[in-house]
Amino acid sequence: MKTANEREAELLASVPTGLLINGEWRNAASGKTLDVHDPATGTVLASIADASGEDAMAALDAACAAQASWARTAPRVRGEILRKAFELITERAEDFALLMTLEMGKPLAEARGEVAYGAEFLRWNSEEAVRDYGRFVTTPEGKNKILVAKKPVGPCLLITPWNFPLAMATRKVGPALAAGCTMVLKPAKLTPLTSQLFAAVMQEAGLPAGVLNVVAGSSASSISGPLLADPRLRKLSFTGSTSVGKQLMAAATENVLRTSMELGGNAPFLVFEDADLDAAVEGALAAKMRNMGEACTAANRFLVHESVATEFTAKLAARIGALTVGRGTEAGTDVGPLVEEKARANIHALVTAAVAEGATVLAGGNPVEGDGYFYQPTVLGNVANDAAILQQEIFGPVAPVTTFTDEDDAIQLANSTQYGLASYLYTKDFSRLLRVSEQLEFGMVGFNSGMISNAAAPFGGVKQSGLGREGGTEGIAEYTTTQYIGIADPYA
Ligand code: NAD
């Protein structure tokens, strides 16, 4: 029986440390390496190759060389490779979960949930690969014919964040492979190990060399810069902050790239006076505390009808105040560490400012002393509507509560943000759901549900939360282009 330390060491030793370029794991051209840390302890988990622009270009060369044959590979074959990868990840679910917990900090139970969610993008897209239909129609004039074909958009650059190390990669790689695209994947420097292991699984599943190339590195822009400047790249899919997304969109104009942007959020969580308050509190916990609040879909503002605000807030504070903070690897942990000290300091600054403006602390409110970047699960009441904590992504385990007077007020408050990703709505009134959803400027609405992510659903935002959708039948369309063939009257 191995000890936990031996198990961790064995897992870390199985993760490739090179850059994956044209089917080979290589050192960086510069010979440099990048350290990956455990945010619960600050210790170094592994050192991996640190890619530069030169490595990124070698990865693009490989992706371009593989593009034509991968596009011609039978959809069924592409689908079978994706399906095999789903099975391999499912078999190694415990390895993937532990690796994510080690490099990112989330509790193991949540990491297991992400493995299931992340792997599902491979299974879902294995099924989409063979059902990406075009169409054939007769023109309205009744003579000529119209043939509409789908084609892979071409070599892609996929850039992922650190908060969901597996799912953010599979959500892009799955549909890109299904559509027949080749790619360069650039994971976040804080959590590259999961992508390294995922790429190794894709190789084991039979993915040909050059189709998926992985270049992790300490300088993101020195990797993305030369790729975006190269006209052979045809698509950029980015998940991350709105500020970086805007810079990348600007750079993508040079070669008129197709772009998919999954950016930041500022999700309102609306609790109406007729809501089941206990269910709303449970939904709030899921929407707020999952991933330590480090999710683009995290409830960022609790907007509660004034008649039930006191009761809801007290129940929420009791539940959140009782959560167990600890290392993600420890049994019983509900809330792990934040990913780095900078993140924790930003969160504490938002809490401190809100309290200075009159908010009351009903639970938590401070960093946890000692090793790692832990923060107490926090509930703030009486938060002013113009407080900075309601305008910005908190990205931490802090729940600010404010009130509304009626439906119009709720909608107006919910929409008063430049973000438009997820929103949540608790009510028993189905007409209200339809009425309010229609007016909410958000790409997604959770109805009596604090968890909405699903591989079969179109995930994405409006306004400054992004462009395009991941998952559902919409996901693969981000990686295809349309070719129309006008056919002369076959009777002429
Ligand atoms: P980030 O924008 O700092 O980084 C995201 C990725 O972009 C990383 O791989 C990073 O290395 C890279 N990057 C950073 N600067 C770059 C540059 N100048 N050029 C090229 N690449 C660059 O975001 P993060 O801190 O890793 O992730 C948190 C953010 O991601 C939050 O805003 C969150 O809301 C958002 N997010 C959105 C979704 C979604 O689906 N909408 C999902 C998860 C996270």
Side-chain angles (χ1 to χ4, degrees):
M1 180 80 177
K2 290 177 197 129
T3 65
N5 283 346
E6 285 166 353
R7 159 111 180 80
E8 287 172 16
E10 189 180 84
L11 170 61
L12 289 167
S14 76
V15 177
T17 56
L19 307 171
L20 179 60
I21 298 176
N22 203 22
E24 288 169 8
W25 294 96
R26 305 184 189 170
N27 291 332
S30 67
K32 288 190 181 156
T33 56
L34 161 72
D35 287 346
V36 183
H37 296 89
D38 179 343
T41 59
T43 55
V44 174
L45 294 168
S47 292
I48 65 165
D50 185 355
S52 62
E54 190 184 339
D55 300 307
M57 289 306 286
L60 181 61
D61 289 345
C64 292
Q67 179 58 63
S69 69
W70 182 244
R72 277 198 308 272
T73 300
R76 178 65 79 202
V77 173
R78 297 200 298 255
E80 295 290 349
I81 291 171
L82 284 165
R83 174 74 199 203
K84 179 74 183 159
F86 161 78
E87 284 161 8
L88 290 172
I89 290 181
T90 305
E91 276 166 26
R92 293 192 66 184
E94 283 302 303
D95 285 351
F96 275 95
L98 180 56
L99 191 58
M100 280 195 281
T101 294
L102 288 175
E103 67 172 341
M104 188 274 169
K106 66 182 73 191
L108 260 180
E110 291 190 16
R112 290 184 183 116
E114 182 177 343
V115 176
Y117 172 57
E120 186 58 29
F121 283 100
L122 304 175
R123 178 160 60 175
W124 174 263
N125 283 292
S126 75
E127 293 153 356
E128 292 294 282
V130 292
R131 297 198 173 79
D132 195 26
Y133 304 125
R135 64 183 191 272
F136 179 69
V137 285
T138 302
T139 58
E141 297 74 23
K143 298 199 163 161
N144 296 352
K145 307 287 179 187
I146 293 170
L147 181 63
V148 179
K150 301 280 187 67
K151 295 167 68 171
V153 70
C156 305
L157 170 60
L158 312 176
I159 302 182
T160 54
W162 49 264
N163 59 347
F164 292 97
L166 179 64
M168 296 303 97
T170 57
R171 211 161 80 163
K172 297 185 189 307
V173 171
L177 290 176
C181 296
T182 61
M183 65 212 70
V184 178
L185 169 65
K186 196 214 79 62
K189 68 179 174 198
L190 293 173
T191 60
L193 301 181
T194 306
S195 288
Q196 301 281 105
L197 190 60
F198 166 50
V201 163
M202 290 307 313
Q203 285 185 300
E204 199 183 331
L207 194 65
V211 175
L212 167 66
N213 304 278
V214 183
V215 286
S218 57
S219 169
S221 55
S222 58
I223 294 172
S224 63
L227 297 184
L228 294 173
D230 191 313
R232 293 174 301 166
L233 186 79
R234 293 316 313 142
K235 158 105 195 175
L236 165 66
S237 178
F238 171 77
T239 298
S241 60
T242 296
S243 60
V244 172
K246 286 181 187 179
Q247 291 171 35
L248 292 173
M249 280 180 81
T253 57
E254 184 58 31
N255 287 314
V256 194
L257 291 189
R258 282 278 293 279
T259 55
S260 302
M261 292 280 146
E262 296 285 352
L263 308 178
N266 180 2
F269 189 103
L270 301 169
V271 182
F272 284 91
E273 61 276 25
D274 64 333
D276 175 337
L277 287 191
D278 291 325
V281 168
E282 291 313 308
L285 239 74
K288 178 75 254 182
M289 291 297 158
R290 189 167 66 105
N291 227 40
M292 293 74 77
E294 295 172 319
C296 51
T297 50
N300 210 59
R301 300 171 288 154
F302 289 86
L303 308 178
V304 186
H305 189 266
E306 55 187 3
S307 66
V308 293
T310 306
E311 188 183 348
F312 173 83
T313 314
K315 286 185 169 185
L316 185 66
R319 283 288 273 122
I320 285 183
L323 294 175
T324 303
V325 179
R327 272 197 84 173
T329 46
E330 279 160 22
T333 292
D334 299 310
V335 182
L338 295 164
V339 75
E340 58 181 344
E341 178 52 35
K342 195 170 62 177
R344 180 166 72 163
N346 287 344
I347 291 159
H348 192 51
L350 285 172
V351 170
T352 310
V355 172
E357 289 164 18
T360 35
V361 179
L362 300 162
N366 282 298
V368 177
E369 285 181 12
D371 287 345
Y373 317 120
F374 296 93
Y375 198 84
Q376 295 172 342
T378 297
V379 178
L380 301 177
N382 299 320
V383 180
N385 275 325
D386 59 354
I389 202 165
L390 301 183
Q391 319 299 322
Q392 297 173 23
E393 254 190 319
I394 304 169
F395 242 58
V398 179
V401 186
T402 183
T403 58
F404 64 82
T405 51
D406 59 24
E407 209 172 279
D408 288 344
D409 188 30
I411 294 165
Q412 191 272 327
L413 284 171
N415 288 339
S416 63
T417 170
Q418 279 314 305
Y419 293 107
L421 192 62
S423 58
Y424 303 90
L425 184 56
Y426 273 76
T427 176
K428 289 189 189 128
D429 181 345
F430 195 73
S431 300
R432 173 179 271 154
L433 160 75
L434 297 179
R435 206 164 53 232
V436 174
S437 306
E438 207 165 278
Q439 297 174 75
L440 282 176
E441 297 164 351
F442 291 85
M444 300 179 284
V445 181
F447 173 48
N448 292 337
S449 170
M451 279 259 279
I452 50 176
S453 299
N454 191 292
F459 187 106
V462 298
K463 293 161 71 176
Q464 292 192 24
S465 285
L467 298 169
R469 294 293 180 267
E470 292 189 323
T473 49
E474 288 82 355
I476 195 169
E478 300 285 318
Y479 295 91
T480 59
T481 186
T482 301
Q483 185 174 55
Y484 151 57
I485 302 172
I487 301 170
D489 181 357
Y491 294 96

